[in-house]
């Protein structure tokens, strides 16, 4: 499928072998699919035929990856939220172990460029890869909000809103053949009234989790996971201590760097 030593098929196989068991999903895309729907100032600086992969966390990630990470390593300093540290550890470990010597640009949902723009638009990446449909105001005919701006939100075809978009990996030397067809994201909220309900729930009542159930999900977050994401970032350190996952020697993360999701990550966890 690709001419480089590491092929497109190999990338998908190796990523899924390592990340699926930790509660992540992987979807491939061409850089051109992403760049073609965005203005030039938001483009990824790579050729259109360059391979990329978007990494989602499913509900299983919390118990399969996050708990073991905290039990083994704890919170490493005060730079970022423990969830962010866990995701970074999982992804960088896979890249270093499975793709040694390969040029891989890894971008996380919480990272910003010097311009303060996100390093990638997470929900856009999920949509163009076929992972999840990104519902926006423009997807609602004759919407009722007049001049009010509402944030869009992704819906996964089996998880609904019970997931998060965590990272984008660009494999700089892996090219995708021109005949590869872009997969459409499943439109699992086809009715106008349901799309209105989804966007209003996400924008006005996102804390009550209701937007995540716009479809019947195959999995949802455990109660502990809900408790974690419902806890303000500055208080999550104490919560983890109460669960026995941190000691008093671990430093709490800086609140302003904590894992949040209005950089298109898809909600709050």
């Amino acid at each position: 499928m690709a001419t480089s030593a590491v092929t497109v098929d190999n990338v998908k196989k190796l990523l899924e072998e390592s990340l699926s068991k930790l509660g992540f999903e992987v979807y491939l895309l061409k850089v051109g699919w992403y760049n073609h729907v965005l203005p030039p100032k938001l483009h990824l600086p790579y050729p259109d035929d360059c391979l990329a992969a978007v990494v989602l966390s499913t509900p299983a990630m919390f118990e399969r990856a996050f708990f073991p990470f905290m039990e083994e390593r704890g919170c490493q300093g005060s730079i970022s939220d423990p969830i962010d540290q866990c995701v970074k550890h999982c992804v960088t470990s896979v890249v270093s172990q499975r793709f040694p010597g390969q040029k891989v640009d890894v971008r996380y949902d919480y990272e910003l460029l010097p311009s303060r723009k996100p390093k990638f638009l997470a929900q856009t990446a999920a949509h163009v890869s076929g992972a999840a449909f990104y519902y926006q105001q423009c997807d609602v005919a004759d919407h009722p909000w007049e001049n009010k701006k509402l944030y869009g939100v992704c819906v996964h075809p089996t998880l609904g809103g019970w997931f998060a978009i965590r990272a984008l990996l660009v494999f700089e030397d892996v090219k995708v053949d021109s005949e590869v067809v872009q997969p459409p994201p499943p439109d699992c909220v086809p009715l106008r009234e349901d799309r209105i309900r989804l966007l209003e729930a996400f924008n006005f009542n996102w804390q009550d989790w209701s937007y995540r159930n716009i479809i019947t999900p195959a999995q949802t977050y455990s109660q502990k996971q809900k408790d974690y994401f419902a806890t303000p970032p500055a208080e999550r350190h104490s919560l983890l201590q109460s669960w026995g996952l941190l000691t008093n020697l671990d430093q709490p993360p800086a609140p302003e760097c904590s894992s949040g999701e209005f950089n298109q990550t898809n909600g709050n966890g």
Side-chain angles (χ1 to χ4, degrees):
M1 200 169 162
T3 59
S4 45
V6 175
T7 69
V8 174
D9 288 337
N10 283 344
V11 167
K12 183 173 180 62
K13 178 176 181 289
L14 292 173
L15 287 175
E16 288 184 339
E17 284 179 353
S18 299
L19 292 174
S20 294
K21 61 188 177 184
L22 299 176
F24 295 96
E25 292 182 350
V26 177
Y27 296 85
L28 303 184
L29 63 145
K30 292 171 69 171
V31 166
W33 300 346
Y34 177 92
N35 284 347
H36 288 169
V37 299
L38 294 171
K41 65 182 179 180
L42 296 176
H43 283 185
L44 297 170
Y46 299 103
D48 283 354
D49 62 352
C50 196
L51 176 68
V54 62
V55 178
L56 315 182
S57 62
T58 73
M61 183 275 293
F62 201 72
E63 282 75 21
R64 292 185 189 175
F66 182 59
F67 274 17
F69 172 81
M70 294 304 299
E71 289 168 354
E72 294 171 10
R73 301 172 63 87
C75 186
Q76 305 296 306
S78 59
I79 301 302
S80 62
D81 183 87
I83 286 282
D84 295 339
Q85 292 186 26
C86 170
V87 171
K88 185 172 184 178
H89 171 73
C90 293
V91 172
T92 56
S93 295
V94 170
V95 170
S96 63
Q97 293 169 14
R98 294 302 191 104
F99 305 100
Q102 290 291 312
K103 295 180 180 177
V104 185
D105 178 4
V106 182
R107 299 172 178 230
Y108 296 98
D109 63 285
Y110 55 86
E111 291 183 319
L112 299 176
L113 296 166
S115 64
R116 305 302 294 171
K117 296 183 186 302
K119 283 194 172 182
F120 79 104
L121 297 184
Q123 295 198 101
T124 298
H127 185 93
V128 300
S129 72
F133 199 110
Y134 182 25
Y135 293 97
Q136 304 177 74
Q137 279 180 267
C138 61
D139 297 309
V140 179
D142 300 319
H143 67 72
W145 305 296
E146 297 183 351
N147 296 322
K148 184 176 291 185
K149 170 65 176 176
L150 270 64
Y151 290 103
V153 61
C154 273
V155 177
H156 188 284
T158 60
L159 299 174
W162 299 98
F163 76 104
I165 306 155
R166 297 297 183 184
L168 182 75
L169 286 62
V170 181
F171 291 81
E172 302 179 29
D173 296 326
V174 181
K175 307 303 179 187
V176 184
D177 288 345
S178 59
E179 66 267 20
V180 174
V181 177
Q182 182 178 356
D187 181 5
C188 44
V189 189
L191 299 180
R192 175 180 179 273
E193 54 267 33
D194 288 338
R195 293 182 179 185
I196 291 173
R197 185 160 57 92
L198 169 68
L199 292 177
E200 290 184 346
F202 181 67
N203 281 267
F204 308 135
N205 298 292
W206 62 268
Q207 298 98 328
D208 70 6
W209 313 92
S210 61
Y211 80 90
R212 299 180 188 267
N213 294 317
I214 192 67
I215 67 169
T216 301
Q219 303 174 53
T220 65
Y221 290 174
S222 65
Q223 188 57 52
K224 275 197 169 183
Q225 189 167 184
K226 290 178 181 178
D227 292 344
Y228 181 85
F229 287 116
T231 299
E235 299 173 17
R236 290 175 182 172
H237 181 267
S238 297
L239 180 65
L240 292 172
Q241 279 187 321
S242 73
W243 292 347
L245 295 175
L246 284 180
T247 70
N248 289 326
L249 297 178
D250 293 303
Q251 294 298 313
E256 67 273 17
C257 298
S258 63
S259 181
E261 300 211 344
F262 281 93
N263 164 28
Q264 287 203 357
T265 308
N266 202 54
N268 189 27

